[in-house]
Amino acid sequence: MKKAVSAVLLLCMVFLVGCGNEAVNPYFHATVLEVYEKSVLVEPFEGEEELNSADQFVVSTEVESTDEVPEMEAGTMIRIVYNGDIAESYPAQINTVFAIYLVDEEGELIGESE
């Protein structure tokens, strides 16, 4: 009986600890190289994990968010929030984008997105 109660308590603790973890969508910072009609070609900032996949990405500008996509041109620095899926091609592709925000050289949000 004591073993059953202990097992139930242990399971409850495991579930409670797991409930505290909120899922956060991955994002990275990049510099825009080229702007297309429905996408942008970007280069991730130095040190970004996405550089392990490729050095350039075509990123969809058709975002899932209600936030407006900012005006971009070559040299614009942005934060790309996406679902974590990267299509392995060259350049790599990110098709499911939740939001795009303007950032400064350190990756801090600027403008209305703060």
Side-chain angles (χ1 to χ4, degrees), residues 51-82:
L51 284 169
N52 293 328
S53 295
D55 63 342
Q56 293 184 353
F57 293 80
V58 173
V59 177
S60 172
T61 54
E62 295 181 348
V63 300
E64 307 276 327
S65 170
T66 57
D67 291 340
E68 220 173 281
V69 174
E71 290 288 324
M72 293 177 277
E73 60 184 32
T76 302
M77 292 174 280
I78 58 175
R79 175 180 294 179
I80 300 155
V81 183
Y82 69 110

Side-chain angles (χ1 to χ4, degrees), residues 95-112:
N95 297 311
T96 304
V97 178
F98 298 121
I100 297 175
Y101 303 107
L102 296 177
V103 297
D104 62 18
E105 296 83 15
E106 287 80 41
E108 297 295 320
L109 296 176
I110 58 175
E112 293 181 27

